[in-house]
Amino acid sequence: MPSGNQQERIAELRQRKHKLMLGGGQDRIDRQHASGKLTARERVALIMDPNSFQELSVFAEHRCTFFGMAGKEAPSDGVVTGVGTVDGRYVHLASQDFTVFGGSAGEVHCLKIVDAMHGSLRTGTPFIFINDSGGARIQEGIDSLSGYAKVFYANVELSGVVPQISLICGPCAGGAAYSPALTDFIIQTRQAQMFITGPQVIKQVTGEVVTAEELGGAEAQMHYSGVVHFVADNDEHAIGICKRLLSFLPSNNLEDPPLLPGEYSLEPEPALDEVIPDDPKQPYDVRDVITRLVDYGDFMEVQETFAENIVIGFGRIAGRTVGVIANQPKVFAGVLDINSSDKAARFIRFCNAFNISLLTLIDTPGFLPGVSQEYGGIIRHGAKVLFAYAAATVPKVSVILRKAYGGAYVAMCGRDLGADRVFAWPTAEVAVMGAEGAAEIVFKREIEQAEDKEAARKQFTEQYRNTFSTPYVAGAHRIVDDVIEPNQTRIYVAHALESLQTKRELRPAKKHGLIPL
Ligand code: HXC
């Protein structure tokens, strides 16, 4: 039996806790700060509402005896886990402590993370994982791999049930990158790197020379790979992004997203009448439309610099969260290609899983033609968008701003992919293809036989444009519900979303569909 009276035991407890709170010690904390990073516990304190955090398995310790580990202390086994509130709503969290064995993930470390994840699952609360780790704890060998695999398994159990957000605030190497990849959103700081194999291994295997930053820095993992959804300047910024993101999301798949109470103006927005240039070939920035449709112009763009020909993100209309998917005419004319298809499809599926209505803004000339696109699998990548929209049962409202050509019109949530409302601006061109291309095919013989071929081409192009490059044929065929003045769009969309809140759509029971991959 331990010696000492009550007061002595309390003093001992305090001393033990004080030591735990210092993680790997003051020297390592200083090193963490010097590298521009916060400690695991500082990050927790910043993300959670004051005094709301309850830590779990505080005294957990590793039980490894290999490679001199016996007797070595690993406070909280290098990861802080627990539950608390963010802006008044509960979340579960794990925050790796780089000051303890480089935040490396051993058996107990991983079991703690899985416990917190199961807390999320049981209580229907989001899970946040702050990664700062050298990966699997080398001394623990296969036990750390087994631990990581349990985390991955739990990631999949949670997927589609509660939102999962990963913050990458330090190294994230090897298989460790796969836990974030299995979550819904990744926020990476500019101090962090993420890769499957680092520069040294790459040099050995392929001979390529690359720096860690070039390979796995936040910009690279956003711009080239599309792995990352948000880039943060530092830890504080990453936590701010995480809180803002949570504000748009429900806590679980059985809840609706939070409805922000307040007065929302539903007035005409005359500036929208000026967005589309008179010349149909002129580009414009679709964000100028989005920010005029969402409440207070508050739009949280996701994957801002990946596949910029499509814009995705969250906003609110009359207080309700909407997921916006918009072709971006400013980049490659808003064409749909492999990366933009992947980007859109994944976002649509996230919104559908968490009861977030979809607002689609259409201005696209179609799918990008080309050998590299075909060899890269544009058929199966593009099909993901079709699949995701058709499978989505949340309210779907589409607005055709300008070009809605060909398969891309269908793919961008046209009426027949289940759009509940389709509105079109007077500038909308709903057609199989652009007027120039169509005239060349339909009137090929007439153009060839004409004395003045150029004049004939112009005349037939004009004829096709006047017939199909308007929204009115689509309106006559019930493909468009209404042609509206751009300035009225926010009002129409808000009314549509309001009236669709009780939407129910039952599909035949099945294990799961097979989205093209
Ligand atoms: C045990 C580790 C560790 C690890 C770092 N440390 N990584 N201990 N297991 N994986 C320890 C270091 O020994 C050191 O301890 C402390 O953490 C800080 O590390 P430093 O190297 O001093 O820091 P830094 O220079 O910032 O470099 C950080 C790093 C580097 C880039 C993460 O440590 C590194 O490359 N580590 C190994 C990465 C790796 O190969 N991980 C295994 C991946 S395989 P002291 O006591 O000196 O402070 C994997 C498979 C998972 O993850 C598969 C799941 C299916």
Side-chain angles (χ1 to χ4, degrees):
M1 203 171 138
S3 61
N5 62 27
Q6 183 80 336
Q7 289 312 315
E8 285 167 342
R9 295 223 192 150
I10 290 172
E12 184 203 346
L13 169 65
R14 285 183 183 158
Q15 192 211 342
R16 280 174 179 264
K17 280 211 165 165
H18 176 71
K19 201 171 164 209
L20 276 180
M21 295 306 132
L22 283 177
Q26 195 56 50
D27 281 357
R28 289 194 173 91
I29 292 176
D30 292 345
R31 255 183 270 158
Q32 180 85 347
H33 288 158
S35 62
K37 300 194 292 182
L38 298 175
T39 65
R41 285 201 159 76
E42 286 166 344
R43 288 167 181 151
V44 174
L46 208 57
I47 200 162
M48 294 290 181
D49 296 336
N51 302 319
S52 75
F53 184 61
Q54 187 158 59
E55 193 169 333
L56 305 173
S57 300
V58 180
F59 289 98
E61 265 288 351
H62 73 84
R63 37 197 169 202
C64 175
T65 52
F66 296 115
F67 300 106
M69 285 291 281
K72 272 197 185 171
E73 286 181 10
S76 301
D77 207 25
V79 63
V80 180
T81 58
V83 58
T85 61
V86 174
D87 294 330
R89 297 159 72 209
Y90 276 105
V91 302
H92 282 73
L93 162 152
S95 177
Q96 291 179 311
D97 186 347
F98 192 78
T99 68
V100 178
F101 293 115
S104 58
E107 176 205 14
V108 173
H109 176 113
C110 292
L111 291 176
K112 282 184 67 176
I113 297 170
V114 171
D115 281 348
M117 295 171 86
H118 284 158
S120 274
L121 199 60
R122 281 194 294 270
T123 56
T125 51
F127 181 68
I128 297 166
F129 188 4
I130 305 178
N131 293 257
D132 188 358
S133 164
R137 187 173 296 156
I138 295 163
Q139 296 89 330
E140 295 199 29
I142 193 74
D143 286 338
S144 50
L145 293 186
S146 163
Y148 248 130
K150 288 186 173 71
V151 174
F152 303 156
Y153 191 92
N155 281 131
V156 177
E157 285 182 294
L158 266 62
S159 184
V161 182
V162 294
Q164 300 182 79
I165 301 173
S166 300
L167 278 71
I168 313 296
C169 296
C172 190
Y178 279 125
S179 172
L182 292 168
T183 65
D184 302 317
F185 293 102
I186 300 179
I187 304 164
Q188 183 174 342
T189 69
R190 293 187 197 278
Q191 289 73 41
Q193 285 103 31
M194 192 181 181
F195 33 67
I196 295 296
T197 50
Q200 281 176 348
V201 177
I202 291 184
K203 193 171 172 205
Q204 279 166 8
V205 176
T206 70
E208 291 166 292
V209 177
V210 65
T211 65
E213 185 56 30
E214 285 166 346
L215 183 67
E219 293 292 350
Q221 290 294 14
M222 158 82 86
H223 183 72
Y224 298 117
S225 70
V227 165
V228 163
H229 300 88
F230 302 96
V231 174
D233 292 335
N234 50 38
D235 289 356
E236 288 90 343
H237 188 205
I239 286 165
I241 291 171
C242 180
K243 286 180 164 190
R244 186 174 174 218
L245 180 59
L246 283 169
S247 78
F248 287 101
L249 309 182
S251 291
N252 59 64
N253 64 327
L254 300 179
E255 284 182 8
D256 286 332
L259 177 66
L260 273 201
E263 292 291 311
Y264 301 98
S265 76
L266 285 179
E267 304 292 324
E269 179 62 63
L272 284 174
D273 293 338
E274 310 291 330
V275 173
I276 305 274
D278 288 337
D279 178 352
K281 289 202 177 115
Q282 279 290 310
Y284 61 93
D285 190 342
V286 79
R287 294 187 193 96
D288 290 340
V289 178
I290 299 170
T291 51
R292 289 181 173 110
L293 294 181
V294 295
D295 297 346
Y296 310 116
D298 180 22
F299 178 58
M300 184 171 199
E301 188 167 346
V302 176
Q303 290 184 309
E304 202 175 324
T305 65
F306 173 64
E308 293 172 63
N309 38 331
I310 204 152
V311 174
I312 57 170
F314 298 106
R316 294 183 187 85
I317 292 189
R320 282 180 213 289
T321 303
V322 286
V324 181
I325 305 101
N327 306 119
Q328 172 58 291
K330 207 176 83 160
V331 180
F332 305 136
V335 79
L336 276 177
D337 59 3
I338 290 171
N339 283 347
S340 62
S341 297
D342 285 0
K343 177 177 167 180
R346 190 173 192 277
F347 183 69
I348 293 161
R349 281 164 68 79
F350 175 83
C351 291
N352 188 50
F354 291 103
N355 311 316
I356 296 171
S357 303
L358 298 171
L359 172 61
T360 304
L361 304 178
I362 307 166
D363 186 350
T364 175
F367 284 101
L368 180 64
V371 176
S372 67
Q373 287 289 306
E374 291 293 348
Y375 285 4
I378 183 64
I379 294 173
R380 63 190 164 84
H381 289 280
K384 289 181 205 179
V385 186
L386 290 143
F387 194 107
Y389 268 127
T393 55
V394 289
K396 297 184 277 196
V397 175
S398 300
V399 183
I400 306 172
L401 311 182
R402 192 168 62 173
K403 297 182 186 100
Y405 294 159
Y409 151 70
V410 178
M412 290 302 293
C413 206
R415 157 68 23 95
D416 303 296
L417 282 198
D420 298 289
R421 300 281 189 285
V422 182
F423 302 118
W425 285 6
T427 39
E429 303 172 23
V430 192
V432 166
M433 60 200 297
E436 286 85 358
E440 286 285 356
I441 296 166
V442 178
F443 301 108
K444 186 177 172 204
R445 195 156 300 130
E446 288 85 338
I447 293 172
E448 274 171 8
Q449 287 167 359
E451 254 176 45
D452 184 344
K453 291 188 181 32
E454 207 36 55
R457 186 173 287 118
K458 224 170 158 185
Q459 179 210 325
F460 289 122
T461 300
E462 215 38 41
Q463 189 180 332
Y464 188 89
R465 180 171 289 128
N466 291 338
T467 312
F468 285 115
S469 302
T470 76
Y472 300 108
V473 175
H477 293 208
R478 294 170 47 257
I479 282 169
V480 160
D481 286 303
D482 202 353
V483 183
I484 61 173
E485 294 181 30
N487 69 70
Q488 299 286 315
T489 310
R490 183 171 147 82
I491 303 171
Y492 274 79
V493 172
H495 286 172
L497 290 174
E498 175 75 29
S499 65
L500 287 163
Q501 284 313 301
T502 49
K503 179 181 174 185
R504 280 185 218 165
E505 195 178 321
L506 296 177
R507 306 273 177 104
K510 56 183 161 184
K511 201 165 176 185
H512 58 75
L514 287 158
I515 190 164
L517 288 175

